[in-house]
Amino acid sequence: MNYLAHLFLAPNDPQQQLGGLIADFTRGRLETLAEHYSEGVIQGIALHRQIDRFTDEHRWVIQSKVRFSKEYRRYSGIILDILYDHFLSCYWTVYSELDRAGLIQEFYRLLIQEQVCLPPRLKTLIPRIVDEDWLGSYHDLDLLGQVYQRMSARLQRTNPLGDAIVEVRRLYPQLSDDFKRFFPELVTFSQQQQRVLSQT
């Protein structure tokens, strides 16, 4: 769900960038997945998993989750995943000199070019990801409300996600501050893991 963050944190390598997205659509051991994907894709999947683990256990992310009222706390991970892409988009120039829109469009072209190699569920989503500009549209806070509503409808049990934007607006300054403390540490961790993976 935080596709922009994983693209940003991936090395400047198309296969690893693909792996960073494919990771959300695959399960199982890397050794098994290596029978179907290139070494670069596998490294991207491995990095994605390490980033997710680091994020879930990070003190500032945990702090953000605790800020949510009881009604939303169970879904705080989903809410934050999407919100972090919004924050990254808004504060992009703090963390990168690259052109955000250009990077996203280049990645969309890569997805279209490589779609035959993608997992079936991801392959069917490519037209929507590109047409609806999933990686770029989270910049607009109003659109996040629509994203939360779609997420809510996809879950089988009754849930409050459809109204999560109200909670996000209430907590926005605090959650933004948590992100600004957390994200530089995530960038450093990602760079360290890239060096480790490149040596394996």
Side-chain angles (χ1 to χ4, degrees):
M1 290 173 288
N2 46 351
Y3 302 140
L4 180 61
H6 281 290
L7 173 61
F8 175 85
L9 294 167
N12 184 25
D13 175 274
Q15 289 298 299
Q16 293 192 47
Q17 290 174 350
L18 278 178
L21 181 58
I22 288 173
D24 274 333
F25 298 85
T26 55
R27 297 290 182 269
R29 293 167 55 84
L30 293 176
E31 294 81 0
T32 304
L33 294 173
E35 299 173 6
H36 307 284
Y37 297 108
S38 70
E39 181 180 348
V41 167
I42 295 301
Q43 288 185 345
I45 293 173
L47 179 62
H48 179 118
R49 291 178 177 182
Q50 291 165 348
I51 287 170
D52 281 355
R53 192 176 304 115
F54 179 85
T55 299
D56 290 342
E57 297 171 355
H58 198 280
R59 65 189 184 281
W60 288 112
V61 177
I62 294 171
Q63 173 65 62
S64 286
K65 291 179 178 180
V66 171
R67 294 187 190 280
F68 286 89
S69 58
K70 284 187 177 181
E71 180 184 7
Y72 293 98
R73 199 166 297 160
R74 178 175 183 175
Y75 303 92
S76 59
I78 298 174
I79 297 170
L80 288 176
D81 264 357
I82 295 167
L83 183 61
Y84 280 3
D85 263 10
H86 165 76
F87 286 142
L88 175 57
S89 182
C90 290
Y91 308 137
W92 184 269
T93 55
V94 174
Y95 305 110
S96 177
E97 296 180 356
L98 296 174
D99 176 63
R100 181 180 63 90
L103 178 67
I104 290 171
Q105 290 305 314
E106 188 174 327
F107 186 62
Y108 288 159
R109 287 192 290 272
L110 176 65
L111 288 179
I112 294 169
Q113 175 185 321
E114 299 288 339
Q115 60 184 310
V116 69
C117 304
L118 302 178
R121 190 161 64 93
L122 175 55
K123 192 185 305 184
T124 61
L125 282 175
I126 295 302
R128 287 187 57 199
I129 290 174
V130 175
D131 292 344
E132 298 174 14
D133 188 19
W134 283 15
L135 277 73
S137 63
Y138 289 1
H139 185 86
D140 187 340
L141 186 60
D142 290 333
L143 289 180
L144 290 196
Q146 299 175 25
V147 175
Y148 290 134
Q149 289 171 359
R150 289 199 299 268
M151 295 294 299
S152 175
R154 283 168 50 186
L155 299 180
Q156 292 183 342
R157 67 175 65 195
T158 303
N159 64 82
L161 267 178
D163 296 322
I165 192 64
V166 176
E167 186 80 344
V168 165
R169 290 185 185 279
R170 182 178 73 85
L171 297 171
Y172 194 91
Q174 299 97 311
L175 297 175
S176 176
D177 286 345
D178 292 345
F179 174 84
K180 290 174 182 176
R181 292 182 174 95
F182 159 67
F183 198 71
E185 295 186 24
L186 178 60
V187 170
T188 299
F189 172 80
S190 176
Q191 291 170 344
Q192 291 169 344
Q193 293 306 304
Q194 287 176 37
R195 288 193 289 270
V196 172
L197 288 169
S198 69
Q199 296 169 1
T200 58

